[in-house]
Every structure is written in structure tokens, then in C-alpha cells.
Amino acid sequence: MYNLLDEAWQPALVAADGETERVGVLRLLTEAHRYADLLVETPTQRPALYRQLFLPFVLDALHELLPRDAEAWAALFRRGRFTERQTERLLGYGEEHRARFGLFDAAHPFAQVPGLHTAKGETKSATALVATAAQGNNVPLFSSRTDGDELRLDPGEAARWLLHTHCWDTGAIKTGAVGDRQAKQGKTTGNPVGPLGSLGVVMPRGRTLFETLLLNLPFKKRVLPEDAPQWRCVDITHRRCADGTTHRPCTAAPAWQQRPATGLLDLWTWQSRRALLLPERDGDGGLYVARVVLAGGDRLELTPDDEPHTAWVIDTRTTAHHRRRPTTGRAGTEPAPGAADGAAPKRPLRHVTGRAGWRGLNALLAFAHAPEVPDPSAGSAGRRHETTQLLMTLAEARDELDPEYPLRLDLTGMTYGTKLGHVEDSFHDEVPLPLAALRYDGPVRAALLEAVLHAEELAGAVNRLDGHLRRAAGAEPVPPLAWQQPGERLLALLGPLVLALLRDLRHVGEDEEACDTRLTHWEGAARWAAWQVAEELLGTAVPGVVSGRRVQLNNGSEQMFRLSTAEAAFRRALGGILRRLPQPSTIRS
């Protein structure tokens, strides 16, 4: 009943005419070249759908037919669609595992546990799956729905939110199901958030669904014999996988484990919750889901250092004495990959809510052989970054592709509240990236990193100007990193300029002179934006700042703060940051 392979449940955008079609898994994959993208209710659903379903389906079905090196990968990418043999194999794989994709199947419901129930037979509203819906204390601002309103999900919506839950669900206390030997008093405690909740997800996207699939399938990664997606574990009684091995427990049972992932297929289809959708029929006979059972699931022992969809922070100050791997499994105590082998420990780099994605380009372009990239953010001392595995792989195939290819990076993340029990905020941004920027010693990468660094430095100069004027008026400066800082206004003005520079640099290739020309134009626009914010500060200063005020600093010395010295210091700062153009002699007309 309602098999995801055939039912038209997933909306997709047709590349040719921009129309929307609802399609099943098999049509979506075998005709992936026809569709521009998946259509989703919230951006965090996109990586969940790709990782929990479409990418592991393709990888498990075609791993023997997929390219093994950069040249073969680029040839298939340029072809723009799967070969006839690959298409036949996708269809055959679907038929082979058809029974595992029934969303409401009594024996093997997709990504669920058949018969899952609590000791008292309690169920929850479908809002337990929907991160944007009001539920208990998790009430989104301006939501028109209350916790008491019934939420009916059609089967497609239920499937999308189910996969989203496996990836992004909140942590802390979860319902204890019958058969969960680790539940106490009907609850399981210490649940971590879903595996994507601890990452700043970076997903390359192309012009079509086919291109996006290939951009997210690392051609250097091999499928291990013991690795399998969750739908290939079928024997619940003996917890044996379809191939007869017992390398990991079957996820279609209430019991769960804390363990490492056995490979990429296991990682992508990680079942972080035990769930069961309870379908009902409306007056017209249509299916909907209003009630679910949701319990604690498998806990990822650590984020593997070959996780493909995140950049990394590497702590260069941590000594071997402090690199012991924690033995507890509590949420928030995940050890850093590399901690056991004496290497500098690294952890996934998370996106900062409210901070534009382009401001993290220094991390996204941090390649192993590249010189150290300056990080202008606060608290960056003693750490360096490493880009994602997928961008490292794509860098190897860069020369085989059209240099003007419109690559995009889709950035998503979640912020959780106290004790991880509710969603506090979500993050989504899209950054265009020139392929030439993936050359670690190329002029495009250098130009982009210079622009990002200068943007942060300009914001710092504006903040210092504001602090100087505030002290001259007898007030205290705005605390560092506060959203009220005028530097944040400047960065908002610089955002469209940086994105325009990113798109423009697609057309310069490896031409260093062309890079310099575009960077010079960007500096002119950036200087204008900086003066626009500075004019607001200088023009609205209170009269007392002209004569100024002598202030005793924390180190015991005294300093004179007045408007003229503040303006002069700002001019000097701009001259030191933007060196390609002469500074104007005046700021007022």
C-alpha cells in the first residue's frame, strides 16, 4: 500500500519549462536529467531526502557501474543522464527491493518499525515530525496553528517529514517503546539530535537533479561489503541483513544501539529514531497521517572524518594529553574524529545563524595543500579549517568541466534550544561558486578570499568608528558580536556585492589580470557601502562628540575621543584595507 517507488508523492521542478510534477522514486531517478530540483516544504528537507533516499538508492544500485576516477566521472557528468545500462540497473534494483518501499506496509514500512507501540498504547500528533509546527514548548513565532490543532499530512508530506526527522530531530527525552530494553519508566534519555543537527551541511547542487546526484557521489569512495542502506535489513527476528551478515542490528526493531556507521550507505540512511506512521482515511477514501509513534533510535558514536557533507574545524592547540576519546554516550560528548590516532582533532563546522553563507568561504576553500587562510572571526586563534570531502573530490575533476559551470552550494543547519529539546532556529543560504575557485593556488580563490577578508575588516572598522563616537558621547561601545553593531549593517550591504563577484568570477578562468580588474571594481563598491554606513554614524552623532571626551581605559591610560579623530582613524583603516583605489579626500558633499 502506497509504494514510494511508483506513487506520485515527491514534487519536482521540470527543467525545460519550470512546471511542477509529482513523481515516484523510480521515475525521478531514471529521468533525473529532466528535473531541475526537488520541491520541499523547508530547505532542511532537501539534504534529508537526498541522504535518506535518493543518494543511497543510486549508490547501492550502481556502485559497480559508477565512475572510478575523475575523467570517467566528468564524462558521465557531461553526458547529462544515466546510461541505458545504469537506468536498467536502477529499475532492476527497485524491483528487487520493492517490498521495502511501502510507506504503510504492515511487514516492512519504509524507514519505520512495524507494530511499534508504547506500553500504554500512546500516540503523538503528526506535529512530532514537523519541525516548523507548534508542539509543546516549540511554538514558532507567528504560527497560526496551536498544539491542539489536528495536523493531517498527506502520504508524501508524511514521508518527507519522516526522513527529515531521522536527520534533524530534537534530542533529550524520547518515548520508550515496548522492546526497547534501555528505556526506563517509559522513556529513553540522553538522545542526541539527528545526525545532521550536529553539522553545517554543505551540499553541492547542479542545473539538474542528475547533476546534483553526481556532485554528491564521491567517485573515490568505495562501498564496503558490510555496508548497506537501512532498507536492506529485513530479518527482524534474527537481526540479519539480506546478505546474511550480522554486522549491525536491524533498524526495523524497537531496540537501538550506539555505534559507528559501517560506511556511507549506513551513514546516509541512519535511523536516529524508531517511528511508525499511523495512516487513516478521510471521507473520500484518501490516505492521511495525523498520529505517529516516535521513539529513540540509533546513536551515532562519532561523526566519521569522511562525512561528505560538512566542512571541518581542526583544533591545532589540543595536545595529545587532551585527545582521549570520551567513553560516555551522552548528547554533546561526541569525540572529535582523529582524536584516537594522535592527529589534531577535528569537528564538524556548523553554520552561524544570522550570518550569510559567503562569510564562511574561508572554510569552504580551505584545501589541504593551500596556504593557511586568515579567519577574521572571533575566537579563531589556534584553529584551522578543512573543506568538505565532496569539494576536495570535485577539485580533482575541475579541469574536465566547463569553467563557467554554475555550481551552487546549498548550506543548511539547525540550532537547538536548552537541553536540545526544541528547534530554536534554522539556517539556509545558497552560495554560487566558480569552479576555478577549487584550484588551491589559483587567482580566483585568492580574489574571493581577499574579498571576504576585506568585508570582515571593513565591518570591524565601522564598529571601531561607532565605538569611538560612543565613547566621545560618554556611552559604552556596543558589545562584540552583538547584532546591533553597525558592522552587521555593512555586511548586509556587502552581501549582494560579494555574490555578484562570485557569479562574475565564473567567466575569468585562470586570468589573473581579469581577477584583479573585478576585485578592483568590488573594492570601489565596498568602499562606497562602508562610507554609506559611516556617514550615518557621523551625521547622527550628538553635538558633544565634536569637542570630545577624555576617557580612562582599562589599562589605566587616558585617551581623547572626538569626532575628528574617529573620522581620521576610519579613513586610515579604509586606506589600509582597500588599497587598489585611492581614498576620497572628503566624505561630505
Side-chain angles (χ1 to χ4, degrees):
M1 183 170 64
Y2 206 91
N3 197 291
L4 297 178
L5 297 181
D6 308 311
E7 296 283 350
W9 65 278
Q10 175 56 51
L13 188 67
V14 180
D17 54 17
E19 295 295 319
T20 299
E21 286 186 10
R22 297 177 71 92
V23 290
V25 172
L26 287 180
R27 183 176 177 187
L28 191 65
L29 293 179
T30 56
E31 301 180 20
H33 56 283
R34 291 189 58 243
Y35 300 102
D37 199 8
L38 306 177
L39 296 180
V40 292
E41 286 91 341
T42 179
T44 49
Q45 277 187 354
R46 184 174 288 106
L49 286 167
Y50 274 105
R51 287 174 61 105
Q52 283 279 329
L53 180 52
F54 299 117
L55 285 170
F57 191 104
V58 172
L59 183 59
D60 200 35
L62 302 182
H63 64 89
E64 295 180 353
L65 302 178
L66 288 174
R68 300 285 182 169
D69 54 44
E71 291 77 12
W73 179 90
L76 180 60
F77 191 87
R78 290 192 300 268
R79 189 178 193 274
R81 60 190 299 170
F82 289 117
T83 66
E84 291 184 7
R85 186 182 178 193
Q86 289 169 337
T87 301
E88 291 174 0
R89 179 57 190 140
L90 286 170
L91 293 171
Y93 182 87
E95 291 304 317
E96 182 181 353
H97 300 287
R98 174 170 294 279
R100 297 292 289 164
F101 289 88
L103 188 63
F104 305 124
D105 188 80
H108 307 299
F110 179 75
Q112 301 163 72
V113 176
L116 186 71
H117 65 283
T118 68
K120 297 181 179 180
E122 305 126 318
T123 62
K124 292 184 176 182
S125 165
T127 57
L129 302 177
V130 182
T132 57
Q135 181 189 10
N137 293 327
N138 188 18
V139 182
L141 190 63
F142 307 125
S143 173
S144 61
R145 181 179 296 276
T146 69
D147 198 16
D149 294 331
E150 182 184 57
L151 177 63
R152 293 188 175 187
L153 303 176
D154 67 44
E157 291 174 322
R160 288 189 291 277
W161 283 115
L162 172 65
L163 300 183
H164 187 276
T165 298
H166 281 305
C167 291
W168 297 102
D169 193 33
T170 56
I173 299 173
K174 296 295 174 184
T175 300
V178 173
D180 176 7
R181 294 182 297 276
Q182 302 183 72
K184 295 181 180 179
Q185 299 180 340
K187 299 177 180 179
T188 59
T189 58
N191 292 279
V193 299
L196 294 191
S198 62
L199 310 180
V201 177
V202 181
M203 197 179 80
R205 288 171 61 192
R207 295 168 297 189
T208 66
L209 184 69
F210 171 81
E211 291 180 351
T212 298
L213 288 169
L214 252 63
L215 287 168
N216 288 272
L217 289 170
F219 55 79
K220 299 180 71 173
K221 192 70 175 177
R222 298 291 178 263
V223 175
L224 302 175
E226 64 271 19
D227 191 19
Q230 55 86 8
W231 55 77
R232 281 215 274 123
C233 286
V234 297
D235 191 332
I236 301 172
T237 305
H238 299 97
R239 293 189 184 177
R240 291 182 183 273
C241 292
D243 58 3
T245 63
T246 57
H247 60 270
R248 60 184 174 92
C250 183
T251 55
W256 54 269
Q257 272 192 354
Q258 176 172 317
R259 61 181 180 83
T262 57
L264 199 54
L265 293 169
D266 185 25
L267 178 66
W268 277 345
T269 61
W270 191 264
Q271 302 292 280
S272 68
R273 298 294 178 261
R274 299 294 187 255
L276 182 63
L277 306 176
L278 303 175
E280 303 176 54
R281 292 193 180 274
D282 58 25
D284 298 325
L287 285 167
Y288 70 90
V289 174
R291 308 296 299 179
V292 300
V293 181
L294 187 64
D298 291 338
R299 302 180 183 185
L300 193 60
E301 191 171 276
L302 77 165
T303 302
D305 56 8
D306 60 350
E307 159 64 57
H309 286 117
T310 188
W312 301 89
V313 178
I314 301 175
D315 188 354
T316 58
R317 295 174 301 183
T318 305
T319 63
H321 178 71
H322 296 98
R323 291 178 193 152
R324 290 186 178 180
R325 178 170 293 179
T327 56
T328 60
R330 296 180 290 111
T333 62
E334 178 183 298
D341 56 12
K346 65 181 185 179
R347 64 183 186 278
L349 176 63
R350 302 189 62 184
H351 305 306
V352 180
T353 303
R355 185 185 184 197
W358 61 264
R359 295 175 63 185
L361 278 173
N362 62 302
L364 297 177
L365 298 178
F367 294 96
H369 302 293
E372 192 70 22
V373 179
D375 183 358
S377 62
S380 62
R383 71 181 191 186
R384 60 184 179 87
H385 294 119
E386 183 180 284
T387 191
T388 73
Q389 290 287 325
L390 289 172
L391 288 182
M392 288 183 186
T393 303
L394 184 58
E396 296 185 29
R398 174 184 56 84
D399 291 335
E400 305 291 333
L401 302 178
D402 179 1
E404 297 189 14
Y405 179 78
L407 175 68
R408 294 168 293 162
L409 300 183
D410 199 59
L411 313 179
T412 47
M414 284 275 196
T415 302
Y416 301 88
T418 306
K419 297 182 180 179
L420 309 178
H422 67 276
V423 175
E424 194 169 83
D425 208 347
S426 63
F427 176 94
H428 175 251
D429 203 357
E430 186 177 292
V431 177
L433 188 67
L435 283 179
L438 300 179
R439 177 183 162 187
Y440 73 89
D441 58 350
V444 172
R445 177 180 178 273
L448 288 177
L449 294 178
E450 182 178 331
V452 171
L453 177 61
H454 286 176
E456 298 287 351
E457 291 175 337
L458 289 173
V462 168
N463 288 336
R464 289 192 297 274
L465 172 64
D466 181 61
H468 200 131
L469 295 174
R470 283 175 172 270
R471 287 187 181 276
E476 289 296 317
V478 177
L481 303 181
W483 64 268
Q484 300 96 328
Q485 286 194 317
E488 294 300 316
R489 296 206 303 273
L490 174 58
L491 288 166
L493 292 176
L494 293 177
L497 303 178
V498 174
L499 295 180
L501 178 65
L502 282 162
R503 288 187 287 267
D504 198 19
L505 286 174
R506 286 174 176 162
H507 310 298
V508 303
E510 303 293 340
D511 189 335
E512 189 170 350
E513 184 176 347
C515 285
D516 287 340
T517 299
R518 283 160 173 78
L519 197 56
T520 299
H521 291 162
W522 181 87
E523 284 200 1
R527 185 178 65 185
W528 178 88
W531 275 118
Q532 185 178 357
V533 177
E535 280 279 20
E536 295 176 9
L537 298 175
L538 294 166
T540 58
V542 297
V545 303
V546 176
S547 57
R549 185 183 303 269
R550 190 170 294 277
V551 177
Q552 185 172 0
L553 304 179
N554 292 334
N555 60 8
S557 64
E558 288 189 349
Q559 182 177 340
M560 190 67 184
F561 292 90
R562 60 167 66 96
L563 186 145
S564 60
T565 56
E567 181 179 342
F570 181 70
R571 287 178 178 278
R572 289 193 299 271
L574 256 61
I577 298 169
L578 305 176
R579 301 183 179 183
R580 296 172 182 269
L581 291 175
Q583 296 297 308
S585 58
T586 62
I587 65 169
R588 294 178 179 80
S589 57

